[in-house]
Amino acid sequence: GIGFIDKNILYMIIGGLIRLFVSLFVGGNILSSILNHPLVMNFASSFGLMLSIIPLIIYKKKNKEMFFFAREKKEERNDLVYINMSEAIKYGKYKYILLSSFLDFIQTIVMDRFSAFCVVNMWIFDILFISIFSFFIFRIKLYLHHYISVLLIIFVGISLDIFSGHYIFNDKDYVTSMIFKFISEIVLSLGFVIDKYTMEKKFCSPYEMCFYHGVINFILSL
């Protein structure tokens, strides 16, 4: 068979269908130009991320009882040591959240302001940048099949872009936009790895991460 299918994948499918509906019935008019404005898109994205406060509250409420239960047993040495270690590890997580949020904002600005009309699929390089940053931050060892996969994805992606005529080198502005788009993918990849570090090493929940991302990006957009 195809293995276990997570029911949460339905959220992505529903999101894709909604995006398709908007593209079909909103495109090509004044409303479309307003919705596609970088500032409006950033506000909408930030607001959507801030809605993660709903599952965050549910998550906090469910874990609150477990936390207080551990506190009540703090007279036991092992529990006390565990709680102190947990709090020490979590300390400083907000600086990583702030950093990744700032990188996300910078990536959005660079992408929307300087390379919005560039059609080159620079995202094919994300797997390379994420692998590099993961190696330095997590010390993740790469094996032969990883190198082959990365090279294959990049080679096929570049080939498809060349075949589609996406690379235009006789237009100075377009070349500049390609460079900015390439830089934005580096920034985006670094932000992803920092988010992963914050969740895995600082015990930050994905709901909390999304919420603070939304708030910080909303403020920066203002």
Side-chain angles (χ1 to χ4, degrees):
I2 58 176
F4 176 75
I5 299 178
D6 192 342
K7 63 181 180 180
N8 291 317
I9 198 173
L10 290 175
Y11 295 118
M12 292 180 280
I13 296 175
I14 293 172
L17 292 175
I18 293 175
R19 181 61 181 267
L20 175 63
F21 176 83
V22 172
S23 300
L24 291 176
F25 296 100
V26 182
N29 52 35
I30 298 177
L31 180 60
S32 175
S33 62
I34 294 176
L35 292 176
N36 289 324
H37 191 280
L39 189 60
V40 176
M41 293 178 66
N42 207 36
F43 275 126
S45 175
S46 300
F47 179 73
L49 287 170
M50 285 191 290
L51 288 178
S52 63
I53 191 174
I54 298 174
L56 176 60
I57 292 174
I58 298 174
Y59 174 82
K60 291 281 187 180
K61 186 177 181 181
K62 287 184 177 180
N63 285 273
K64 192 174 183 180
E65 296 178 1
M66 297 178 60
F67 176 77
F68 281 115
F69 177 75
R71 278 291 190 182
E72 290 174 357
K73 296 182 63 179
K74 69 179 182 180
E75 65 275 2
E76 298 181 18
R77 184 176 181 276
N78 291 336
D79 291 329
L80 181 59
V81 171
Y82 174 79
I83 292 173
N84 290 338
M85 289 178 61
S86 177
E87 292 178 349
I89 291 173
K90 289 181 179 180
Y91 178 77
K93 69 178 179 180
Y94 294 106
K95 65 182 179 182
Y96 294 105
I97 294 176
L98 181 62
L99 176 59
S100 63
S101 299
F102 184 73
L103 290 175
D104 184 33
F105 178 76
I106 293 296
Q107 189 271 337
T108 302
I109 295 299
V110 172
M111 177 69 73
D112 294 336
R113 177 64 181 85
F114 300 103
S115 57
F117 60 92
C118 179
V119 294
V120 178
N121 294 305
M122 292 295 183
W123 58 265
I124 60 175
F125 295 99
D126 288 0
I127 188 173
L128 172 63
F129 300 137
I130 291 175
S131 298
I132 293 174
F133 291 131
S134 296
F135 174 78
F136 286 105
I137 295 177
F138 289 99
R139 299 299 178 185
I140 295 178
K141 185 178 180 180
L142 299 179
Y143 296 92
L144 180 61
H145 65 277
H146 292 134
Y147 292 109
I148 294 176
S149 177
V150 170
L151 293 175
L152 186 62
I153 291 173
I154 294 176
F155 174 77
V156 173
I158 292 177
S159 300
L160 289 173
D161 274 329
I162 293 176
F163 179 78
S164 302
H166 292 168
Y167 285 100
I168 304 173
F169 295 103
N170 57 357
D171 187 333
K172 183 179 179 180
D173 292 335
Y174 193 81
V175 172
T176 302
S177 70
M178 285 195 298
I179 295 174
F180 275 112
K181 195 170 186 177
F182 185 79
I183 294 174
S184 73
E185 296 300 333
I186 298 177
V187 176
L188 180 67
S189 300
L190 177 58
F192 283 157
V193 178
I194 292 176
D195 286 342
K196 180 179 175 66
Y197 178 86
T198 309
M199 288 188 286
E200 291 192 0
K201 303 298 183 180
K202 297 298 179 179
F203 297 158
C204 178
S205 74
Y207 310 120
E208 188 177 13
M209 177 73 69
C210 288
F211 173 69
Y212 283 118
H213 264 270
V215 172
I216 295 172
N217 276 279
F218 189 84
I219 295 174
L220 290 174
S221 297
L222 290 176

